[in-house]
Coordinates of all heavy atoms in Angstrom, one line a residue:
P119 N 29.7 -10.2 25.2 CA 29.5 -9.7 26.6 C 29.2 -8.2 26.6 O 28.3 -7.8 27.4 CB 30.8 -10.0 27.3 CG 31.4 -11.1 26.5 CD 31.0 -10.9 25.1
A120 N 29.8 -7.5 25.8 CA 29.5 -6.0 25.8 C 28.1 -5.7 25.3 O 27.5 -4.7 25.7 CB 30.6 -5.3 24.9
A121 N 27.7 -6.5 24.4 CA 26.3 -6.2 23.8 C 25.2 -6.6 24.8 O 24.1 -6.2 24.5 CB 26.2 -7.0 22.5
L122 N 25.4 -7.5 25.7 CA 24.4 -7.9 26.6 C 24.3 -6.9 27.8 O 24.7 -7.1 28.9 CB 24.7 -9.3 27.1 CG 24.8 -10.4 26.1 CD1 25.1 -11.7 26.7 CD2 23.5 -10.5 25.3
G123 N 23.7 -5.8 27.4 CA 23.6 -4.7 28.4 C 22.6 -4.9 29.5 O 21.7 -5.7 29.4
P124 N 22.6 -4.0 30.5 CA 21.7 -4.1 31.7 C 20.3 -3.9 31.3 O 19.4 -4.4 31.9 CB 22.2 -3.1 32.7 CG 23.0 -2.1 31.8 CD 23.6 -3.0 30.7
R125 N 20.0 -3.1 30.3 CA 18.7 -2.8 29.9 C 18.0 -4.0 29.4 O 16.8 -4.2 29.8 CB 18.7 -1.7 28.8 CG 17.2 -1.4 28.3 CD 17.3 -0.3 27.2 NE 15.9 0.0 26.8 CZ 15.6 0.7 25.7 NH1 16.6 1.2 25.0 NH2 14.4 0.9 25.3
R126 N 18.6 -4.8 28.7 CA 18.0 -6.1 28.2 C 17.8 -7.1 29.4 O 16.9 -7.9 29.4 CB 18.9 -6.7 27.1 CG 18.6 -6.0 25.8 CD 19.6 -6.4 24.7 NE 19.6 -7.9 24.7 CZ 20.7 -8.6 24.3 NH1 21.7 -7.9 23.9 NH2 20.7 -9.9 24.3
R127 N 18.7 -7.1 30.3 CA 18.5 -8.0 31.5 C 17.2 -7.6 32.2 O 16.5 -8.4 32.6 CB 19.7 -7.9 32.4 CG 21.0 -8.5 31.8 CD 22.0 -8.7 32.9 NE 23.3 -9.2 32.4 CZ 24.3 -8.4 32.1 NH1 24.2 -7.1 32.2 NH2 25.4 -9.0 31.6
R128 N 17.0 -6.3 32.3 CA 15.7 -5.8 33.0 C 14.5 -6.2 32.2 O 13.5 -6.6 32.7 CB 15.8 -4.3 33.2 CG 16.8 -3.8 34.3 CD 16.5 -2.4 34.7 NE 16.7 -1.5 33.5 CZ 17.7 -0.8 33.1 NH1 18.8 -1.1 33.8 NH2 17.7 0.0 32.1
L129 N 14.7 -6.1 30.8 CA 13.5 -6.3 29.9 C 13.1 -7.8 30.0 O 11.9 -8.1 30.0 CB 13.9 -5.9 28.5 CG 13.7 -4.5 28.2 CD1 14.2 -4.2 26.8 CD2 12.3 -4.0 28.3
F130 N 14.1 -8.7 30.0 CA 13.8 -10.1 29.8 C 14.0 -11.0 31.0 O 13.8 -12.1 31.0 CB 14.5 -10.6 28.6 CG 14.2 -9.9 27.3 CD1 14.9 -8.9 26.8 CD2 13.0 -10.3 26.6 CE1 14.5 -8.2 25.7 CE2 12.6 -9.7 25.5 CZ 13.3 -8.6 25.0
G131 N 14.6 -10.4 32.1 CA 14.7 -11.1 33.4 C 15.6 -12.3 33.3 O 15.3 -13.2 34.0
R132 N 16.6 -12.2 32.5 CA 17.5 -13.3 32.4 C 18.9 -12.9 32.7 O 19.3 -11.8 32.5 CB 17.6 -13.9 30.9 CG 16.3 -14.5 30.4 CD 16.5 -15.0 29.0 NE 15.4 -15.7 28.5 CZ 15.4 -16.2 27.2 NH1 16.5 -16.2 26.5 NH2 14.3 -16.8 26.8
K133 N 19.6 -13.8 33.3 CA 21.1 -13.5 33.6 C 21.9 -13.5 32.3 O 22.7 -12.6 32.1 CB 21.6 -14.6 34.6 CG 23.0 -14.3 35.0 CD 23.5 -15.3 36.0 CE 25.0 -15.0 36.4 NZ 25.4 -16.0 37.4
S134 N 21.6 -14.4 31.4 CA 22.3 -14.4 30.1 C 21.2 -14.6 29.0 O 20.9 -15.7 28.5 CB 23.2 -15.7 30.1 OG 24.2 -15.6 31.1
P135 N 20.6 -13.4 28.6 CA 19.5 -13.5 27.6 C 20.0 -13.8 26.2 O 21.3 -13.6 25.9 CB 19.0 -12.1 27.6 CG 20.1 -11.2 28.1 CD 20.9 -12.1 29.1
A136 N 19.2 -14.4 25.4 CA 19.5 -14.6 24.0 C 19.8 -13.3 23.4 O 19.2 -12.2 23.8 CB 18.3 -15.3 23.3
P137 N 20.7 -13.2 22.4 CA 21.1 -12.0 21.8 C 19.9 -11.4 21.0 O 19.1 -12.2 20.5 CB 22.2 -12.3 20.9 CG 22.0 -13.8 20.6 CD 21.5 -14.4 21.8
V138 N 19.9 -10.1 20.8 CA 18.9 -9.5 20.0 C 19.2 -9.9 18.5 O 20.3 -10.0 18.1 CB 19.0 -7.9 20.1 CG1 18.1 -7.3 19.0 CG2 18.6 -7.5 21.4

Side-chain angles (χ1 to χ4, degrees):
L122 300 178
R125 181 180 178 188
R126 282 173 46 209
R127 291 194 184 96
R128 291 196 300 270
L129 279 173
F130 298 97
R132 294 182 180 183
K133 184 176 181 180
S134 299
V138 175

